[in-house]
Amino acid sequence: MKAALPLVALLAVFAAQWALPVGQIVRLQGVIEHGTPYRFRTAPVDPADPFRGRYVALRFAADRIAVPENADYDPDRRYYAPIAVADDGFAQLRRPLPAPPAHGDWLPVTVSARLDAGHVRVALPLDRFYLEEGLAPRAEALLRDAPETRAVWADVRVRDGRAVIAALVVDGEPVRRWLARRSEQ
């Protein structure tokens, strides 16, 4: 019986090691499948992360939020920005709140800077979209060449404050398909 105890402990360690990544995958897949879709306007750039590979880094137009002139935000504190959809169909963030709103979707944010008396810049929990090793630099180069003529946005799914970028869309089509068409030309 005592010989089986180390084996049981080893199996418990293996199970714990797999439970964390599997749980994270299941949670994020739930956001993709059941989350509310939003379109966030982007401005991509392309860095590399030696541990995670190539990705298109994203800046979002929604990171600039109108706030009351006297609003005071602590940069070390987490806030909750409600999401609204503008007339053009793109998502916008509303004034950051100290607690999640009771109704509607929201994103956790930190206030990174006061831009002027009526606006703050926030750091969003979304900042990168991963692509295959060869595609990320090509996407960045093609998007950088004529950014004013391209409509680029992230298709983001949000559920219970969690957000997942489901797709990066360029000129109305997923970035991989958009890049494939550029290769054919």
Side-chain angles (χ1 to χ4, degrees):
M1 183 68 174
K2 286 186 178 185
L5 190 57
L7 180 61
V8 170
L10 184 62
L11 290 174
V13 168
F14 287 150
Q17 286 179 328
W18 281 99
L20 184 65
V22 168
Q24 183 71 3
I25 291 168
V26 168
R27 271 192 305 278
L28 294 178
Q29 191 61 36
V31 173
I32 289 173
E33 291 176 6
H34 305 291
T36 304
Y38 292 97
R39 294 187 324 171
F40 282 86
R41 218 179 287 278
T42 65
V45 293
D46 178 42
D49 181 327
F51 298 105
R52 293 183 273 189
R54 297 297 263 172
Y55 59 90
V56 177
L58 301 170
R59 283 190 359 245
F60 292 93
D63 71 355
R64 178 184 168 99
I65 301 176
V67 296
E69 287 187 29
N70 61 351
D72 186 30
Y73 291 100
D74 179 357
D76 296 324
R77 184 170 177 210
R78 176 179 286 194
Y79 293 95
Y80 305 89
I83 302 171
V85 178
D87 292 338
D88 64 2
F90 286 94
Q92 294 180 334
L93 298 179
R94 298 290 185 221
R95 180 176 51 92
L97 305 171
H103 303 288
D105 287 316
W106 51 272
L107 290 177
V109 299
T110 54
V111 175
S112 59
R114 179 165 283 283
L115 300 175
D116 55 45
H119 293 89
V120 294
R121 173 149 290 137
V122 296
L124 300 172
L126 309 163
D127 65 350
R128 60 189 71 187
F129 182 75
Y130 287 92
L131 286 171
E132 292 81 11
E133 189 72 23
L135 294 181
R138 286 186 46 227
E140 193 274 337
L142 287 167
L143 293 170
R144 185 182 50 225
D145 287 344
E148 65 282 348
T149 63
R150 307 243 185 267
V152 182
W153 69 84
D155 175 14
V156 177
R157 302 287 195 250
V158 178
R159 183 177 186 198
D160 299 327
R162 287 191 182 93
V164 176
I165 299 175
L168 181 60
V169 180
V170 181
D171 294 337
E173 60 186 330
V175 69
R176 287 177 180 87
R177 189 177 325 142
W178 183 79
L179 287 169
R181 280 196 317 109
R182 298 294 169 289
S183 296
E184 296 169 1
Q185 298 174 349

